[in-house]
Amino acid sequence: MLRGRHGGTILLLVIAAVIALAVVAMADDAEATWTGEPLPPWGNDWYINQDTVYTDETIRLDGNIYVWAPYTLSLDGCTVIFNCSYPGQHGIMPDWGSVLYMNDSATNDGVVKSNTSSEDWWFEIYGEAYLNGVDLMDVDYGIWNWNTYLYMEGCTVSSTTYGIMSFTDGHIGNTTINVLWDAFYWGGGFVEAIGVMGQGGALAMYNLDINVRVDINETIWPTSTFYGNYYVYGIYLYSTDVGKLQPTVNSEFSISIDIDIVVNNYYDTTGYASFYNYVYTRAIYMRGDTVCRAINNIDIDINEDIT
């Protein structure tokens, strides 16, 4: 009987523990909410065919996100993780006529990243995108704003090759942009790395921290020649109107740009080799009919190291 009483006590404790765990799980689920389009089965794309809102969720996808017109996808305080097996395998595309919102929430930051930092995800915008307080990590070839409008405020972008490439109207404020080109070349190489590019349309830009790093390792056979061409820009503007858009008409264009180029040349020391490295570095480069209404508080730091 004594053993039975102890057994009963243990059973009650186990039941109480299970109930407590269930309550905790329900509390966690209560914080994370969603309405609209459910997540797809693993290995499928997520098609947004109705207005959809996810709040404080961790979303894992082995596929792409497509937002179709005329619908809206809102990700508030969510962490989106793409399961990429190679760079650019999965990504996000709001189509023309659709709207994408990605924001932080009262309890969580907005984060989009790959499951591994070496296998990046892609981001192309044809509709409208509004990003507030979002950390965009591991972006393959940067953010491409093609057609309608991009709004970014208080964000961080970490990408390869390009940061933000805009071919239409956009607003980029209080944002940090980190671009890395890290590659190995055998026999010859070409590099183009850009922090922010505007081509056509109008851009409102202020309080930007742009960091572009090029880290290249070059190797050639002895008695041969290597030609390396490097085009590195903090901001590249072509026929762009800077400072025109509301709510920052004629506002100060204040930026910090850090460009760091490291090129390492390798060859068999028993022979000889010729290296021709051409480096074209511009903190701000303006072409065409570009109009820039106000530029103030610019901090430019350019480092070039070729060995």
Side-chain angles (χ1 to χ4, degrees), residues 157 161 175-181 193-196 208-215 232-235 254-262 281-284 297-305:
V157 179
T161 310
T175 290
T176 298
I177 301 161
N178 300 310
V179 177
L180 172 63
W181 183 302
I194 301 174
V196 175
L208 301 184
D209 185 5
I210 300 171
N211 305 285
V212 181
R213 178 175 174 82
V214 174
D215 192 351
V232 184
Y233 306 93
I235 296 177
S254 54
I255 58 173
S256 174
I257 297 175
D258 186 359
I259 297 175
D260 193 3
I261 302 172
V262 178
T281 307
R282 302 288 187 275
I284 303 174
N297 303 325
I298 295 181
D299 180 13
I300 296 173
D301 186 9
I302 298 176
N303 298 303
E304 298 178 5
D305 182 11

Side-chain angles (χ1 to χ4, degrees), residues 98-118:
S98 70
V99 181
L100 170 67
Y101 293 98
M102 290 195 293
N103 310 295
D104 55 5
S105 68
T107 54
N108 292 302
D109 294 330
V111 177
V112 185
K113 62 181 182 178
S114 175
N115 59 319
T116 172
S117 59
S118 61

Side-chain angles (χ1 to χ4, degrees), residues 237-259:
L237 301 171
Y238 183 83
S239 297
T240 303
D241 193 336
V242 179
K244 176 182 178 181
L245 292 180
Q246 294 284 1
T248 54
V249 172
N250 298 326
S251 69
E252 293 185 354
F253 176 17
S254 54
I255 58 173
S256 174
I257 297 175
D258 186 359
I259 297 175

